[in-house]
Amino acid sequence: MVHVVPLGVQIRADIEQRDRAKPFRARVRWTDPATKQRPSKSQAFDTREEAEEWVNRIRQAAARGVDPIAATATLADYGTANWATAMRGLEDKTIGHAYLPAWQRRIVPAIGHLPVTMITAGVADRTVMKWIADGVSKSAVKNGLAALARVLDQAVRDEVIERNRVEVVGWQRQYERYEDELDDPRSLALPDWATLTTLADSLVSASTDGYRGWGDVVIFAACTAVRIGEVAGCRVGDIDTSEWVWRLRRQTSPGPGGLKDKGTKGKRSRRIPIIEDIRPLVLKRIDASNGKTDARLFVGPRGGRIQTGVLQKATHWHEVVTKLGYEHLRRHDLRHTGLTWLADAGVPLHRLQQIAGHTDPRITQRYLHPDIESLQNDGNLLTIHLRAPQRSPNGPQLRVVGQ
């Protein structure tokens, strides 16, 4: 249940830096006008920027009359407390056999730990893509998104969030796109270096602050064939500028309480070559770190960690790629671009697999260029073989008609 407080209740906040794994602790306090008590809520974060964002969300919610406790509730807790209200009007069969199982088996394990206020269209998109990759059926995806949308609609009515950003329509296109990606990831790659640099420059120009770091991230991700989260996790000390090799050890991705550093997707470190074309870019970023080997190679304009959703919003990604004629392009397609270019450059399959971090060589093999001429020659050899006179290894054989 959401407890309503008078509009404009004053929220007092402070952010304390401590010597902890999560050094920045944010705390908010307010006076309950009914009981005169002074409740409080606190949470620890990795960066001051994340702590300030948390405080701002609570203040915005309080301005709408929403209790700060409710404003910071996780999706799982909020959904449990408001399930009956959110599902009002549906048949019991639909709730019990479709929406509730999808909520418990799909939504809660995937994003239930996130605050309701952090559930965005991007979060839902990434969740759906993971479900598809895991083989979840279309009906299960549909039921999961429908249940999520109803809970978020209730959050809108309770004024915990301003609007429901999750779109239930259009997810079928994600299925089709993912199937295309599995079958032919080459088709999602940028064609050449000039196109990549044009994209990077256009994204920088479209950003509000003209921050060059956005373009650097895009170029670096494509030329190393890695994920944006792996770019965000790269530290200065991971780059060997004598051999020009990046020892990729970690990735940065959303988790409970904000962004988290964790192991790579394959749980193994891997070595990535740094090509000559991007070495000046890398040296510039290293110089900006003031020699701190544990500093992140790439950061946002305010020093925060890079994440794909922020990159998208800050650079107006969709508008830029559509204007350039690549409306299909996602941030992850930068990885497809790099792997396609490496394959076309003649990198052997086993080396390409190691760079990509794939455990199954069949996935890597999809990036190899289909050699049509060789395939045609193979077919011609089979044709010649089939048309040649057949000779039995045991000498001439008598063929009896009817047998």
Side-chain angles (χ1 to χ4, degrees):
M1 179 180 179
V2 174
H3 302 281
V4 179
V5 298
L7 290 173
V9 65
Q10 186 175 11
I11 300 293
R12 298 184 182 276
D14 61 86
I15 298 175
E16 177 187 8
Q17 185 172 359
R18 306 173 298 170
D19 186 16
R20 304 285 177 83
K22 293 184 176 182
F24 295 93
R25 187 189 72 162
R27 182 176 62 166
V28 294
R29 292 173 293 174
W30 66 98
T31 300
D32 188 313
T35 65
K36 305 304 180 183
Q37 295 180 346
R38 287 178 55 79
S40 67
K41 184 174 179 63
S42 64
Q43 189 165 327
F45 298 90
D46 292 313
T47 67
R48 181 175 292 275
E49 187 178 48
E50 292 172 345
E52 291 173 350
E53 183 181 352
W54 182 79
V55 170
N56 289 336
R57 286 202 307 269
I58 291 178
R59 282 179 168 155
Q60 291 169 5
R64 301 194 305 270
V66 180
D67 188 325
I69 299 295
T72 55
T74 65
L75 178 64
D77 290 342
Y78 180 83
T80 299
N82 298 276
W83 182 258
T85 306
M87 299 297 131
R88 185 173 48 199
L90 292 177
E91 296 182 1
D92 291 341
K93 181 179 179 181
T94 301
I95 298 173
H97 294 280
Y99 288 8
L100 183 58
W103 175 264
Q104 294 174 336
R105 298 172 188 171
R106 306 297 175 199
I107 298 296
V108 171
I111 56 176
H113 60 280
L114 296 176
V116 177
T117 52
M118 288 182 63
I119 307 301
T120 63
V123 169
D125 286 345
R126 290 190 292 274
T127 302
V128 168
M129 294 302 288
K130 186 177 186 306
W131 288 343
I132 297 172
D134 292 341
V136 177
S137 67
K138 286 188 176 182
S139 62
V141 172
K142 175 185 175 183
N143 292 334
L145 285 176
L148 174 61
R150 279 195 159 258
V151 169
L152 293 180
D153 283 342
Q154 183 60 41
V156 172
R157 289 191 289 271
D158 286 334
E159 297 188 351
V160 174
I161 56 177
E162 294 182 2
R163 65 186 180 93
N164 182 355
R165 300 177 182 276
V166 175
E167 298 181 359
V168 181
V169 298
W171 58 270
Q172 293 93 337
R173 291 195 299 272
Q174 289 182 283
Y175 251 101
E176 296 171 0
R177 177 177 177 79
Y178 188 80
E179 290 168 351
D180 290 343
E181 182 174 326
L182 289 179
D183 293 336
D184 185 16
R186 294 178 55 85
S187 65
L188 305 175
L190 292 173
D192 50 40
W193 172 261
T195 303
L196 174 62
T197 54
T198 298
L199 170 64
D201 292 342
S202 299
L203 292 170
V204 171
S205 297
S207 64
T208 303
D209 49 12
Y211 179 55
R212 185 64 226 175
W214 299 129
D216 291 348
V217 166
V218 168
I219 292 175
F220 186 82
C223 292
T224 54
V226 301
R227 305 170 180 89
I228 295 294
E230 293 170 334
V231 175
C234 178
R235 305 293 178 95
V236 170
D238 297 334
I239 304 290
D240 181 350
T241 55
S242 60
E243 301 291 340
W244 284 109
V245 171
W246 169 24
R247 176 61 66 87
L248 198 163
R249 308 170 188 270
R250 70 189 70 79
Q251 62 178 327
T252 302
S253 57
L259 294 174
K260 303 287 184 182
D261 283 343
K262 59 183 183 180
T264 61
K265 187 175 181 180
K267 308 303 180 185
R268 294 179 306 226
S269 66
R270 60 187 196 270
R271 294 164 63 86
I272 309 294
I274 305 296
I275 64 173
E276 186 174 348
D277 303 78
I278 63 171
R279 290 174 188 175
L281 178 158
V282 172
L283 289 174
K284 181 180 177 181
R285 291 291 157 187
I286 291 175
D287 290 342
S289 69
N290 296 320
K292 297 179 180 178
T293 58
D294 62 341
R296 296 180 187 277
L297 190 65
F298 296 97
V299 294
R302 297 176 60 186
R305 284 171 289 184
I306 296 291
Q307 56 180 313
T308 184
V310 175
L311 172 62
Q312 172 191 321
K313 293 178 182 178
T315 61
H316 304 282
W317 177 280
H318 295 307
E319 293 86 345
V320 170
V321 297
T322 299
K323 185 176 180 180
L324 293 176
Y326 295 98
E327 60 276 357
H328 71 282
L329 195 73
R330 301 172 306 164
R331 274 77 61 206
H332 190 69
D333 294 335
L334 299 171
R335 173 169 162 83
H336 294 315
T337 295
L339 291 174
T340 298
W341 288 359
L342 286 165
D344 288 352
V347 175
L349 177 61
H350 72 283
R351 288 290 308 126
L352 187 63
Q353 181 183 350
Q354 291 172 359
I355 293 171
H358 292 151
T359 56
D360 188 345
R362 291 174 296 181
I363 297 176
T364 314
Q365 203 161 13
R366 297 188 180 108
Y367 292 95
L368 300 182
H369 191 284
D371 192 336
I372 301 301
E373 184 176 353
S374 295
L375 289 174
Q376 291 173 338
N377 290 336
D378 293 341
N380 291 337
L381 290 174
L382 177 57
T383 298
I384 294 172
H385 171 73
L386 294 176
R387 291 180 180 177
Q390 300 299 307
R391 297 179 180 178
S392 171
N394 299 320
Q397 299 290 311
L398 178 62
R399 180 168 181 259
V400 180
V401 177
Q403 288 188 349

